[in-house]
Amino acid sequence: PLQVGGSGCWNRVFILEAESSVLTQPGDFIIGGVFTIHTSPKTTEHTFMHAPEPLQCRVKKKNENLKLELRFARAMTFAIEEINNSTELLPGIRLGYQIHDSCASVSVATRATFQLINGLDPIFSLSPETLRPPSLVLGLSVSRSLISSSLPVLQVSHYATCACLSDKQQYPTFLRTIPSDKFQAAALVQLVKHFGWTWIGAVRSDSDYGNSGMAAFLAAANAEGICVEYSEAFYRTNPRSRVRRVAEVIRSATARVVVAFAAAGDMRVLFEELLELGFPPLQWVGSEAWVTDPLVTPFDMCLGAVGFGIRRAIIPGLRTFLMDLSLAQASASPILQEFWESAFRCRLASGPVGPGAQVCNGSESLQQLQNAYTDTSQLRITNMVYKAVYAVAHGLHSLVCTIMIHIRKVNFTLNGNRVSFDANGDPVATYELVNWQLSEHGQVEFVNVGYYDASAPEGKLLTMTRNITWTGGQSQVPKSVCSESCPPGTRKAVQRGKPVCCYDCCISDQWKPCYFCSADSLDCVRCPSDAWPNPQGDACIPKPIEFLSFSEYLGIILAASSVVGACLAIAIAAVFYLHKDTPIVRANNSELSFLLLFSLTLCFLCSLTFIGRPSQWSCMLRHTVFGVTFVLCISCVLGKTIVVLMAFRATLPGSNVMKWFGPPQQRLSVLAFTLIQVLICVLWLTLSPPFPNKNMKYYKDKVILECDVGSAVGFWAVLGYIGLLSLMCFVLAFLARKLPDNFNEAKFITFSMLIFCAVWITFIPAYVSSPGKFTVAVEIFAIISSSCGLVMCIFAPKCFIILFEPEKNTKNGWTHGWVNFY
């Protein structure tokens, strides 16, 4: 009796009524193959303790599957013969094979696997020699049900795609040359997403293949925001009423795109039912199991279908090997005999010949046939079988005793295709995107229109290579959405009880000037504070930024006034320098006058730093330069005022006051007053310097770009110190206004300080209340006007005498005449 180690769950099996081995060849190592050549066995229930009885498989009504699966089996024998004839791969070692028919039955496939492990002698052999028990068995299984984790056998599948088989804890001895359905599901989602289909239907085979594949697809689709209107499962052996119910669901649904993760046989049953019911044109998206199966192409209602198929390959020499099958070879094997009789519709002499049946005479030629066996233009799954055999051979070539370890490490090129496995025993997932198109002869053909490579970087997984012909022969991509996109300025309101892809478009309750609603948004979004919605209300656009620039009229006028004022101060300085030896220049303390003119030039020019786009450096520079230059200017005026007072006191008998306020003391006083302001500015810049700021308080429709003072204390300390010096200067000049005429410059200092103080006193409320760029304009105006007041009141009369009344610029004129000009 057969024993299953460690399982305990196999207490009863179906014992076959005949031996299932169909092709064999002896060798040093035996590779076992299990293919679904027939549909199902006639079985009798027995226990393992009973002896096996003969097996008889039911033959399909249509023998295309027999031809296709026989091609797979013969491809396996072809690969083994190639390896045996190779001098580089496994030299001196001969591979053999035992190929069994699973009859699409779990029980038959299980028995075949046990037979391969235990080495039961098959009935038929291509060689007259006695076959050795298998030294190495590899099961090429097609379903999870046929793969056992407890079997001490390495299994390499050409067709089992269930993602569950990647679990090495449960299936440690399983590998495959066909990609896992996990990758195919991801590829299908990328395809659906690429064409903007957000509302789809889904059907699947009620099997391991369909259920696990669709589960992976639905999970990935949900993550991409794709909604599924329905998801139906069926199997070809289900009652017709169930298949009809699935067909009615598809016909009555609103989704125009249907994703089918099903076997070819199941899809044939469904399409037959749909044809009978009648249905509107649908765009079919298929999995590899049926979208490249020629048995489904007679249903031209699927013309334009797209889906992923295993990449086609060219196997040199395979067609010649398949065609090289003689009548004698066919007569030696029951399965080849069945194929021969089915292909040529004759009976072999070795078999029973009924009345009227034609006997095969040997004139038959496979070259004349066009069927699934002879068609090598679509070598997809066949190539998976071919690669599986070579993967085993390369693993054996590395190290026979640890084949499982080394077969996972194989990495070789076979007919231009890379063969390798990852840690889960899966190959690199690459697919062809196949489109059903009509050929010139009016036949459906599989056209490669793109590729999917799971190893490619994100965004480059799916590559389109040519245009697709859609359902009904259309060139436009079909639409499949539950609800049309919401226009800009509206939001999506999900319909109650329906997926998120079904919604109504409405204007948001939150719609305000500061909100925008992009297309297909679930809710309107508040724009950033420095932006506002565009006129369509579907995007935020930056608010216009306002600042006093050199390109606008106000900026040009203020900049020109600043430059003119600076030029005026420089011109006066030049006049004074040219007439520095004249009494009027010498009598007015020429050193302080030149320093005052220099500081006034800087005062005029510092206003330029207030114009232009504020930056970190310009904000710090404008306020500090303004503060220091104005203190320097007022210090000079204050020094001149003190000199006037000291000069008057020095004329009194016995007064020696001028020696305490001579030129050194004057310079020191100006330096001391200025250094105090410098210290205030340094502290201000260190603790909390000015910085550019976007002010959005005054206007909702624009942004005021201005310089924030940083520390208000620092800003007002700078202005306060200037005001204090101005006040001191005004008081002293006011006290000296009634001195003798020779010294009545104090009157004009008083008047200039009166203008200066008036300007800056009125500046404060104007500065506080002026919005935006006008705040800066007010500050520049105060700087220019106060500087002009000083220039005009202190220096204009003297320049007039020097330039237009030079006769008064004499010692006599100084004593008796020109001072009356004041």
Side-chain angles (χ1 to χ4, degrees):
L2 297 174
Q3 301 292 330
V4 182
S7 175
C9 61
W10 290 85
N11 56 351
R12 302 179 69 82
V13 298
F14 290 108
I15 300 300
L16 314 180
E17 296 179 359
E19 191 55 63
S20 63
S21 178
V22 294
L23 293 172
T24 61
Q25 177 177 293
D28 300 317
F29 291 94
I30 303 299
I31 300 178
V34 182
F35 298 94
T36 305
I37 298 176
H38 296 96
T39 53
S40 60
K42 295 178 181 178
T43 59
T44 306
E45 190 178 85
H46 291 280
T47 64
F48 276 122
M49 298 301 295
H50 291 89
E53 299 177 6
L55 165 83
Q56 185 178 6
C57 288
R58 294 193 184 99
V59 181
K60 280 182 176 287
K61 293 180 181 178
K62 295 186 178 180
N63 291 311
E64 286 303 310
N65 190 74
L66 182 146
K67 300 179 180 69
L68 186 62
E69 292 287 335
L70 184 59
R71 188 179 75 192
F72 296 161
R74 293 269 289 163
M76 175 179 169
T77 63
F78 169 72
I80 290 175
E81 285 195 16
E82 269 193 342
I83 295 167
N84 288 338
N85 294 330
S86 172
T87 57
E88 297 180 356
L89 188 60
L90 293 177
I93 296 178
R94 185 169 182 80
L95 297 180
Y97 54 82
Q98 288 187 16
I99 298 176
H100 292 254
D101 183 4
S102 71
C103 300
S105 168
V106 175
S107 57
V108 177
T110 304
R111 174 172 170 76
T113 304
F114 285 145
Q115 178 177 317
L116 289 169
I117 296 172
N118 287 274
L120 297 180
D121 291 335
I123 296 172
F124 166 72
S125 172
L126 286 178
S127 171
E129 303 174 12
T130 303
L131 292 173
R132 295 178 51 188
S135 303
L136 177 67
V137 181
L138 295 102
L140 300 173
S141 305
V142 297
S143 168
R144 177 174 62 170
S145 304
L146 308 184
I147 300 167
S148 173
S149 60
S150 61
L151 294 180
V153 53
L154 174 59
Q155 300 165 89
V156 181
S157 176
H158 68 290
Y159 210 45
T161 57
C162 180
C164 57
L165 298 173
S166 297
D167 183 0
K168 293 300 107 180
Q169 294 287 335
Q170 189 173 0
Y171 304 102
T173 61
F174 175 79
L175 296 97
R176 54 185 159 194
T177 53
I178 191 169
S180 165
D181 282 337
K182 177 185 71 173
F183 300 106
Q184 185 176 193
L188 288 171
V189 169
Q190 289 296 318
L191 180 66
V192 171
K193 180 184 176 183
H194 179 80
F195 292 110
W197 298 323
T198 58
W199 185 241
I200 63 171
V203 294
R204 67 186 186 277
S205 292
D206 195 4
S207 62
D208 280 343
Y209 171 74
N211 291 329
S212 63
M214 184 56 73
F217 171 80
L218 293 177
N222 183 62
E224 293 290 349
I226 299 168
C227 299
V228 179
E229 183 178 8
Y230 58 86
S231 179
E232 297 292 332
F234 69 98
Y235 198 67
R236 56 184 172 271
T237 58
N238 289 152
R240 185 179 179 184
S241 59
R242 180 172 177 182
V243 180
R244 178 172 283 268
R245 186 187 65 80
V246 174
E248 288 176 345
V249 168
I250 295 173
R251 188 182 65 165
S252 60
T254 58
R256 298 295 90 197
V257 173
V258 182
V259 178
F261 218 111
D266 297 335
M267 293 304 295
R268 286 179 62 89
V269 172
L270 178 62
F271 288 150
E272 288 170 357
E273 200 65 41
L274 284 170
L275 273 178
E276 187 174 324
L277 287 174
F279 65 97
L282 296 174
Q283 178 61 50
W284 291 90
V285 179
S287 62
E288 46 79 26
W290 71 269
V291 81
T292 56
D293 195 319
L295 300 180
V296 191
T297 54
F299 298 94
D300 17 351
M301 63 181 179
C302 296
L303 190 65
V306 292
F308 290 103
I310 303 303
R311 298 188 70 167
R312 286 178 296 178
I314 297 175
I315 304 178
L318 177 61
R319 179 175 173 80
T320 302
F321 178 81
L322 294 176
M323 297 295 106
D324 188 19
L325 183 63
S326 65
L327 180 63
Q329 289 175 311
S331 301
S333 165
I335 190 65
L336 294 179
Q337 178 179 337
E338 180 185 343
F339 162 71
W340 194 273
E341 292 177 345
S342 171
F344 297 108
R345 298 183 179 180
C346 63
R347 302 292 293 175
L348 290 172
S350 59
V353 180
Q358 183 181 355
V359 178
C360 303
N361 56 20
S363 63
E364 300 83 9
S365 173
L366 291 175
Q367 300 288 346
Q368 303 171 354
L369 297 179
Q370 289 185 353
N371 55 33
Y373 176 82
T374 60
D375 182 11
T376 57
S377 64
Q378 298 283 333
L379 297 181
R380 301 178 189 274
I381 303 303
T382 305
N383 188 47
M384 298 297 103
V385 178
Y386 186 70
K387 285 168 44 173
V389 176
Y390 266 90
V392 172
H394 276 270
L396 280 169
H397 189 81
S398 298
L399 191 59
V400 174
C401 62
T402 54
I403 176 65
M404 183 62 193
I405 297 174
H406 284 268
I407 195 172
R408 288 186 186 175
K409 295 181 178 179
V410 298
N411 190 339
F412 62 95
T413 301
L414 184 62
N415 296 330
N417 297 317
R418 177 62 56 185
V419 181
S420 62
F421 301 94
D422 61 16
N424 295 324
D426 294 326
V428 176
T430 56
Y431 297 95
E432 284 182 353
L433 180 59
V434 176
N435 181 214
W436 287 22
Q437 298 183 9
L438 277 180
S439 66
E440 296 178 354
H441 307 292
Q443 296 178 337
V444 177
E445 61 180 1
F446 305 133
V447 178
N448 179 17
V449 294
Y451 296 95
Y452 179 86
D453 187 352
S455 63
E458 193 68 30
K460 297 183 179 179
L461 298 171
L462 181 63
T463 303
M464 306 299 297
T465 56
R466 58 184 295 177
N467 294 332
I468 294 177
T469 299
W470 301 104
T471 181
Q474 299 177 15
S475 58
Q476 293 282 342
V477 179
K479 292 185 67 175
S480 185
V481 294
C482 183
S483 301
E484 293 293 337
S485 296
C486 287
T490 62
R491 67 176 181 87
K492 295 192 297 186
V494 178
Q495 297 173 2
R496 182 173 297 179
K498 292 189 177 181
V500 294
C501 299
C502 302
Y503 48 82
D504 297 317
C505 299
C506 60
I507 298 177
S508 173
D509 296 336
Q510 293 178 318
W511 176 256
K512 296 177 182 177
C514 53
Y515 283 85
F516 80 96
C517 302
S518 59
D520 289 334
S521 60
L522 289 173
D523 205 351
C524 296
V525 181
R526 188 181 184 90
C527 289
S529 56
D530 59 348
W532 61 348
N534 61 1
Q536 295 77 27
D538 62 345
C540 288
I541 56 175
K543 292 179 181 178
I545 296 177
E546 181 182 272
F547 58 89
L548 186 61
S549 67
F550 288 101
S551 58
E552 58 184 298
Y553 290 123
L554 182 59
I556 293 172
I557 292 171
L558 293 175
S561 301
S562 175
V563 173
V564 169
C567 292
L568 180 62
I570 294 172
I572 293 173
V575 170
F576 267 52
Y577 180 77
L578 293 174
H579 301 84
K580 63 180 181 296
D581 295 327
T582 60
I584 195 170
V585 175
R586 296 182 63 186
N588 282 277
N589 198 330
S590 59
E591 186 174 339
L592 283 180
S593 295
F594 282 116
L595 187 57
L596 177 58
L597 287 169
F598 171 73
S599 64
L600 284 171
T601 303
L602 294 181
C603 287
F604 280 115
L605 294 178
C606 80
S607 61
L608 295 176
T609 62
F610 288 79
I611 306 174
R613 188 184 186 93
S615 64
Q616 188 71 36
W617 285 104
S618 67
C619 287
M620 291 191 295
L621 186 66
R622 64 172 59 172
H623 288 99
T624 52
V625 170
F626 155 71
V628 172
T629 55
F630 259 78
V631 164
L632 178 61
C633 177
I634 301 301
S635 298
C636 292
V637 176
L638 182 60
K640 289 175 70 68
T641 306
I642 294 174
V643 167
V644 171
L645 286 173
M646 294 299 110
F648 172 72
R649 295 185 63 86
T651 59
L652 298 176
S655 176
N656 197 24
V657 70
M658 280 305 294
K659 82 171 186 178
W660 299 107
F661 202 72
Q665 288 78 14
Q666 295 169 22
R667 299 188 202 104
L668 186 61
S669 64
V670 171
L671 179 63
F673 288 135
T674 306
L675 284 177
I676 293 174
Q677 183 73 308
V678 170
L679 180 61
I680 294 173
C681 291
V682 169
L683 290 174
W684 182 18
L685 295 180
T686 303
L687 299 177
S688 181
F691 59 90
N693 178 50
K694 292 181 178 180
N695 190 335
M696 288 161 279
K697 296 178 182 178
Y698 293 111
Y699 305 102
K700 290 184 177 180
D701 58 343
K702 58 184 176 181
V703 177
I704 305 300
L705 192 59
E706 62 184 11
C707 284
D708 191 292
V709 295
S711 171
V713 174
F715 174 71
W716 291 109
V718 168
L719 289 183
Y721 184 63
I722 295 174
L724 177 63
L725 292 182
S726 303
L727 184 61
M728 289 174 56
C729 189
F730 174 74
V731 170
L732 292 177
F734 183 79
L735 294 176
R737 73 189 187 285
K738 294 184 179 180
L739 293 178
D741 287 347
N742 297 39
F743 304 100
N744 63 0
E745 186 183 30
K747 293 180 181 179
F748 293 94
I749 293 176
T750 303
F751 188 62
S752 66
M753 285 296 101
L754 188 61
I755 295 174
F756 186 91
C757 292
V759 167
W760 285 101
I761 289 172
T762 54
F763 158 77
I764 294 174
Y767 179 83
V768 172
S769 60
S770 298
K773 61 184 179 181
F774 298 106
T775 303
V776 180
V778 166
E779 194 166 359
I780 296 174
F781 177 78
I783 293 171
I784 294 175
S785 58
S786 58
S787 301
C788 283
L790 292 174
V791 170
M792 299 307 294
C793 291
I794 296 177
F795 293 102
K798 300 179 179 60
C799 288
F800 183 82
I801 297 298
I802 292 172
L803 297 176
F804 301 107
E805 296 182 351
E807 68 279 1
K808 294 182 180 180
N809 190 10
T810 60
K811 195 172 183 180
N812 268 343
W814 168 252
T815 307
H816 301 290
W818 71 267
V819 290
N820 293 323
F821 173 83
Y822 291 100

